[in-house]
Amino acid sequence: MFDILKTRIQQKHRTIRWPDGPAPDLPARFAGRPVVRSGACAAGCRICANACPVGAITAGGASGPGIDTGKCLFCRACESACPYGAICFGKEYRLAATRREDLVVGAGSPDPAGALCERAAKLFGRSLKLRQVSAGGCNACEADSNVLGTLAWDMGRFGIQFVASPRHADGLLITGPVTRNMHLALRKTYEAVPDPKVVIAVGACAIAGGPYADHPEQHNGAASVVPVDLYVPGCPPHPLTILDALLRFLGRV
């Protein structure tokens, strides 16, 4: 026992200091919010749109393309394909939005930080219990959500926790494209959550079907089954992106 206590003292502070301190370092391969450079795109060019595997890009003429980050897999195929350097993926981890249309990024798009939901902040700002539903996901978004309960991230310090039963939850955190076999299960889980409740869609699959969009065995995301209050883009979203989304949603940062 004394050896355990000694080791713990030597380890010192293990939980990240963000948001009171600097955000943790992001890996070099991290692809954050895309940046579209106004005027860099050639009029009528569709090279980036043709390179996108999920149809997330709408060609916009000389003003540049529009990128739907709700569909985007952040694979950077468009960035690599564009000969004009009109698109690049930066390190901005703030990606979430409360409105689906706000996930579309173009030249001159506003700051992405405004994901506040006044109703959620008032009701759940000090305590939010979520039931996580994997509606046919590949386990990437699930893993990056679950890691928030570990010692380093410790979302419980903000009063946010995952619970085992929807009857004990304030809302759902949904991952996956909602496969046909999960459609009824998701609906019943949503109905089991007492009112008032919130729904959070995490990842490209839960927002728009991801790489499986329009496949007959899935439903193109959570919004086809339940009302969604917060969208968190990514494939998968970084844990920092998810935690930032939750805290901004609740008005905590």
Side-chain angles (χ1 to χ4, degrees), residues 32-138:
R33 191 172 191 256
V35 176
V36 179
R37 296 189 176 95
S38 179
C41 188
C45 173
R46 291 188 53 83
I47 295 175
C48 59
N50 293 335
C52 180
V54 290
I57 300 177
T58 302
S63 63
I67 303 176
D68 185 348
T69 59
K71 291 183 177 181
C72 181
L73 303 183
F74 294 80
C75 65
R76 289 180 164 171
C78 56
E79 181 182 32
S80 300
C82 179
Y84 308 105
I87 300 173
C88 69
F89 286 81
K91 295 296 184 182
E92 177 57 76
Y93 57 83
R94 297 173 299 170
L95 300 171
T98 54
R99 300 190 308 166
R100 179 68 179 86
E101 57 268 29
D102 290 341
L103 297 181
V104 179
V105 175
S109 290
D111 190 293
L116 171 67
C117 175
E118 293 184 2
R119 171 176 166 271
K122 180 179 179 180
L123 293 173
F124 310 118
R126 298 182 64 85
S127 177
L128 178 65
K129 311 302 180 187
L130 296 170
R131 176 65 169 98
Q132 200 275 323
V133 179
S134 178
C138 70

Side-chain angles (χ1 to χ4, degrees), residues 7 83 119 127 132-133 137 147 150 164 169 200 209 218 240-241 246:
T7 300
R119 171 176 166 271
S127 177
Q132 200 275 323
V133 179
V147 78
T150 62
I200 301 164
Q218 57 89 38
L240 181 59
T241 297
L246 295 175

Side-chain angles (χ1 to χ4, degrees), residues 157-206:
R157 61 195 161 115
F158 305 108
I160 306 171
Q161 294 177 321
F162 290 126
V163 294
S165 171
R167 299 188 184 279
H168 301 161
D170 300 310
L172 303 180
L173 187 148
I174 302 171
T175 55
V178 188
T179 59
R180 186 168 65 174
N181 288 340
M182 281 299 298
H183 182 278
L184 180 60
L186 176 59
R187 169 60 65 181
K188 287 186 174 181
T189 303
Y190 175 79
E191 292 173 352
V193 178
D195 291 322
K197 51 193 169 188
V198 295
V199 174
I200 301 164
V202 173
C205 288

